[in-house]
Amino acid sequence: QSVLTQPPSVSAAPGQKVTISCSGSSSNIGNNYVSWYQQLPGTAPKLLIYENNKRPSGIPDRFSGSKSGTSATLGITGLQTGDEADYYCGTWDSSLSVNWVFGGGTKLTVL
Amino acid sequence: EVQLVESGGGLVQPGRSLRLSCTASGFTFGDYAMSWVRQAPGKGLEWVGFIRSKAYGGTTEYAASVKGRFTISRDDSKSIAYLQMNSLKTEDTAVYYCTRLIMVRGVINWFDPWGQGTLVTVSS
């Protein structure tokens, strides 16, 4: 069971908007930046969002991130079939046993 | 182009050892901390550990699941990071990814880029 909680799956039609939540605690999301990663089928993860809401160069503005308290959200607008992937949130955790934690991942299906 | 290439994966028996390598190019390797992340078949991402740059002591941190069995090291002259895995267990079976990490005020902020991964299978 992951320290960060994500819904196992979400789905929406092409052109629609979807949000993926990531819930944590004060030892992780509450006091640290959140980043998001996209993993297309059969490929390595790729950075999508860093420092809660910043996009690396080359990432379209259809992707957005936000954080409030101990939760973060990834938003994707104008869904495309090519967005079908697994999405992971991650952040630093200040507890003694770990330094970095990932969410369990959310599979996005574009219907 | 910034690139990371892992190598060294394969089939290994439980209790044995294996060393993975991550060869970097396209950036000043010695300026960055490096990390390993693994993904068991059909499962999510699990952080394994990281090594700081020499400027920050080159020290290491590990996840509890691998602490005492895995060791991360680096050779800045060759732009290579290593993951030495000892006393391997079947549950260590996974694709192992090497990734560059950005740290701010001693805290990992994000991972970018990622290598293509190398598969380690622990089985008798």
Side-chain angles (χ1 to χ4, degrees), chain B residues 8-29:
Chain B
L11 175 63
V12 61
Q13 293 179 327
R16 303 298 290 264
S17 299
L18 197 65
R19 188 179 79 162
L20 306 182
S21 299
C22 168
T23 302
S25 59
F27 65 99
T28 305
F29 180 77

Side-chain angles (χ1 to χ4, degrees), chain A residues 32-35 37 39 43-47 49-51 56 86 88 90-92 97-104, chain B residues 37 39 43-47 50 52 61-64 97 103-117:
Chain A
N32 296 289
Y33 286 121
V34 176
S35 51
Y37 304 86
Q39 187 175 33
T43 70
K46 180 177 83 171
L47 177 67
I49 297 288
Y50 67 99
E51 290 186 346
D86 293 321
Y88 296 89
T91 188
W92 181 268
S97 60
V98 296
N99 292 122
W100 182 269
V101 289
F102 287 105
Chain B
V37 175
Q39 186 171 35
K43 301 297 184 182
L45 302 175
E46 180 188 14
W47 173 75
F50 76 93
R52 296 176 177 85
E61 306 290 346
Y62 301 96
Y97 296 102
M103 299 189 76
V104 178
R105 291 188 293 276
V107 170
I108 300 174
N109 268 19
W110 69 87
F111 300 101
D112 182 57
W114 297 59
Q116 85 288 350

Side-chain angles (χ1 to χ4, degrees), chain A residues 18 26 41 44 63-64 75 104 111:
Chain A
V18 71
S26 58
F63 295 90
S64 64
L111 302 169

Side-chain angles (χ1 to χ4, degrees), chain A residues 43-81:
Chain A
T43 70
K46 180 177 83 171
L47 177 67
L48 206 57
I49 297 288
Y50 67 99
E51 290 186 346
N52 302 334
N53 55 18
K54 297 177 182 176
R55 284 177 286 106
S57 59
I59 301 299
D61 59 6
R62 299 188 299 108
F63 295 90
S64 64
S66 64
K67 188 185 102 167
S68 178
T70 58
S71 293
T73 301
L74 173 69
I76 311 173
T77 60
L79 276 173
Q80 303 173 359
T81 56

